[in-house]
Amino acid sequence: MESGGSKRRVVVVGGGIAGSILARSIQFNADLTIIDPKEYLEIKWAQLRSKVEPSFAERAVVNYRDFFTNGRIVTSTAINITENEVLTADGRHIGYDFLVIATGHSDNVPVTRTERLHYYDAENQKIQSARSILIVGGGPSGVELAGEISTDFPDKKVTLVHKGPRLLEYIGPKASVKGLSLLRSKKVDIKLQQSVDLKSASDGSQVYRTSTGESIKADCHFLCTRVPLSTAWLNETILKTNLDKDGRLMVDEYLRVKGRNNIFAIGDITDVPELKLGHAAIHHAYLVAKNLKLLMGGGKESKMSVYKPGPEVAMVSLGRKHAVAQFPFATLGGRIPGLIKSGDMFVGRTRKHLGLEP
């Protein structure tokens, strides 16, 4: 079993934004290990900009060692948890005093930063070489990708197909209407309440069939549907009874897994009733870092900080100058919310959280 010295052993499973900010925050207070199948953090809200501008990924894809300098990085996948160990796919048994689950979503991505940057070069070439592009999915990823392509490549024919009755169903209908209007102003063809049979173009015809019998000609397609949570593996662990019906870990007000004194969960995998967005995950990370420092320092549980969800704010970028923003008091669309997000996609701000130059 791998273990450390006199400091309390903390294992963080998952190196997304929540796990990474937590690890950086406590790296000098604990004997710390990050377990993640890749060697880098990717700022996910920059992914779609990186497809149209691959150089943008240089700042958004960051090796862990650039900000996590005092601890171990295990490049593997966690496959089991016992009362005092995490087991990995490559056969390691990593002991813990405190455990943080921060696995996010099940993204199939390459191991190294270099490979990930090459991926964006290839995606950009795919866009550049196409005259017509099909986007499947009208959630935030599909809408943002349609906005990015139609802004940077206005001569390309972009079609977005969504099976739901409106775009951006995770937020309010006013935001959906504004997003629809902005995309249509960019000449994006939007088809709602339809699905696409992606195999229908496997004969090389480049013609895709929808559920209503329409034909869509496209040189390439991008699938932007929901990615599942990375929690199914927990069904084989001591936490199998702590998952709700949606596969999220049930947590208490301190973001501890309910019934567990030394296991926390942060990010999208928690059952906290809030929009699952980056700024919430960052808030989770800082709060759990504070609580871990308290507990590792011998502080009383009664002194731990309580997590309170913030106001529901959501922003969806639509190219370099426009966005849709939902605030508690208003929903805005156009250049004003675009000034907030769409230029830098919050990459500079996120890098500051990691102690890096913007």
Side-chain angles (χ1 to χ4, degrees), residues 156-201:
K156 297 187 185 297
K157 169 67 173 172
V158 179
T159 303
L160 187 155
V161 179
H162 180 56
K163 68 179 180 181
R166 63 183 178 92
L167 301 177
L168 304 173
E169 291 176 89
Y170 76 109
I171 51 179
K174 288 182 180 179
S176 300
V177 170
K178 291 182 184 296
L180 182 73
S181 176
L182 282 165
L183 285 182
R184 283 182 170 159
S185 74
K186 296 173 181 287
K187 305 293 190 293
V188 177
D189 184 12
I190 298 169
K191 300 181 186 296
L192 298 175
Q193 294 184 290
Q194 297 186 51
S195 57
V196 178
D197 178 9
L198 295 176
K199 294 179 182 177
S200 60

Side-chain angles (χ1 to χ4, degrees), residues 44 56 120 136 156 202 219 243 246 351:
K44 288 195 172 181
F56 199 75
Y120 285 115
V136 180
K156 297 187 185 297
S202 61
D219 295 326
L243 294 167
D246 298 315
R351 287 175 61 89

